[in-house]
Amino acid sequence: MAGIFNMRLTSYAALSIITVAIIAVSADEHSEYAGRINFISEYYFYQDIRAFFNHKNGELRDAYMASALTEFEAMAVSVDTVFHFGIRYDNYLGMGRQTGAIVFDPRDVRYSVIPLFEFRRKEIFYQAGLDHSCHHEVDRATRPIPPYWNQPYISASSANYRFSQMKRNYINTGRDGYFDKLRWQARAGYFVRKMGGMDKTLLSGAHPWAATAEVDVGYSVYKTKSWLFSANNKLTLLGDTSGALYWTGTAGVDADIYNLKHSAGFFAVYNYEFPKSLMLLSRDRLLEIGFRFRY
């Protein structure tokens, strides 16, 4: 309940800030910034559906059968195409198995609301934001409290990291150099567990994580008039409150139809972990095969 309340509070706060900014600028039509500020200047949408294979044990087989991930990101206020204030929303639905006469068994739901600021300089985009995520079980109660967190983070990425921007600014303009084909992002975050005298149950709970860092790299291997074939690898380091470190990663291949107005494609991802299980986040050795749509 605390996680849901906190997520709603974060959402309302972000929307309030955006609304105030819009009103403040609209109130002065002759402001020197009026011609430099744009509202809802960009938005990105992603939807996929995937199936899981190669389960190493019965627990993972019961938990992972299929899933659907929805992501929406919008730049609410942009200044000079350099400064961007936006918000991102993620919704994950995980389907598992059970012994009853139910083929698709909803098991896990994750919601994330992420207010963010992005600064763009030439070929590198810098971003800072607050990741508020809640993990909920469906029709079961193996965890007394749904895991949730507030995670301030910073990141840097190549200007072509988002697929839509790569398609518009690189592929469609004929940019085909080595660094044009390379996509990357580096990210680091901290899980807030206390803030002055604030109630700790509103900040974070039911998970062991203290900090995280990750590097995500992709490369466009081959392109035809319609298809783009890529490979990618993502490494994530997680530290828990006891000081222990956990490594996890994904290696994948993509085949995207990029010459449509809204791109579609197929992907395969292999998950690996070392040296020990990530518990809540574990997908060790799972193979994911899916279809996605994005614009």
Side-chain angles (χ1 to χ4, degrees):
M1 184 61 71
I4 297 174
F5 170 78
N6 202 16
M7 181 175 67
R8 290 176 178 171
L9 183 62
T10 304
S11 303
Y12 295 155
L15 291 174
S16 298
I17 292 172
I18 293 169
T19 301
V20 170
I22 293 173
I23 294 174
V25 173
S26 300
D28 185 3
E29 296 181 356
H30 302 289
S31 169
E32 63 176 310
Y33 299 103
R36 297 161 51 187
I37 296 178
N38 294 299
F39 303 107
I40 316 299
S41 58
E42 299 176 12
Y43 61 89
Y44 307 93
F45 177 81
Y46 175 99
Q47 177 67 61
D48 77 32
I49 183 169
R50 66 187 71 193
F52 297 91
F53 305 91
N54 195 45
H55 304 83
K56 70 177 184 180
N57 56 41
E59 181 179 355
L60 287 178
R61 180 176 176 81
D62 290 342
Y64 293 103
M65 179 180 180
S67 72
L69 174 63
T70 304
E71 299 176 347
F72 178 76
E73 183 179 24
M75 298 302 172
V77 181
S78 299
V79 182
D80 282 346
T81 71
V82 176
F83 303 97
H84 301 267
F85 300 86
I87 194 164
R88 174 174 168 173
Y89 173 76
D90 297 350
N91 186 351
Y92 170 86
L93 172 62
M95 313 290 284
R97 296 176 174 85
Q98 63 169 278
T99 56
I102 298 177
V103 177
F104 295 99
D105 178 26
R107 290 180 58 99
D108 296 294
V109 177
R110 184 188 75 240
Y111 302 95
S112 297
V113 177
I114 308 171
L116 59 91
F117 165 75
E118 186 167 285
F119 171 67
R120 300 177 181 176
R121 183 170 178 80
K122 296 183 179 180
E123 296 298 314
I124 300 180
F125 292 178
Y126 302 92
Q127 189 177 111
L130 175 65
D131 178 352
H132 177 83
S133 296
C134 297
H135 296 253
H136 297 272
E137 293 180 298
V138 180
D139 294 336
R140 55 186 46 79
T142 61
R143 301 187 294 261
I145 301 174
Y148 62 95
W149 59 69
N150 285 286
Q151 180 200 146
Y153 72 88
I154 56 173
S155 71
S157 68
S158 58
N160 63 347
Y161 183 72
R162 294 184 181 95
F163 187 84
S164 298
Q165 290 176 326
M166 179 187 66
K167 174 183 172 181
R168 180 176 65 248
N169 300 327
Y170 290 77
I171 297 177
N172 293 346
T173 59
R175 296 180 60 172
D176 199 35
Y178 173 81
F179 288 105
D180 299 325
K181 298 177 183 179
L182 180 68
R183 304 181 302 279
W184 60 269
Q185 182 185 67
R187 185 180 187 276
Y190 169 73
F191 297 87
V192 178
R193 290 187 173 273
K194 61 181 180 179
M195 183 180 294
M198 189 173 182
D199 186 348
K200 294 182 180 180
T201 62
L202 296 178
L203 296 173
S204 185
H207 70 87
W209 311 121
T212 182
E214 64 185 33
V215 177
D216 187 6
V217 179
Y219 187 76
S220 300
V221 179
Y222 183 70
K223 178 169 68 69
T224 70
K225 292 183 178 180
S226 302
W227 291 84
L228 179 68
F229 299 92
S230 306
N232 59 80
N233 189 64
K234 181 178 181 180
L235 283 174
T236 301
L237 173 65
L238 285 155
D240 66 18
T241 54
S242 71
L245 296 177
Y246 301 77
W247 284 95
T248 180
T250 61
V253 292
D254 310 299
D256 293 288
I257 308 173
Y258 69 86
N259 64 343
L260 302 175
K261 180 179 180 180
H262 302 307
S263 301
F266 303 90
F267 62 91
V269 176
Y270 179 75
N271 295 267
Y272 55 91
E273 297 174 10
F274 50 93
K276 44 192 171 182
S277 173
L278 293 169
M279 297 174 289
L280 170 68
L281 304 177
S282 180
R283 294 190 179 189
D284 190 30
R285 304 183 197 175
L286 284 180
L287 174 64
E288 308 172 19
I289 298 177
F291 171 80
R292 65 185 168 207
F293 170 81
R294 52 189 174 185
Y295 62 84

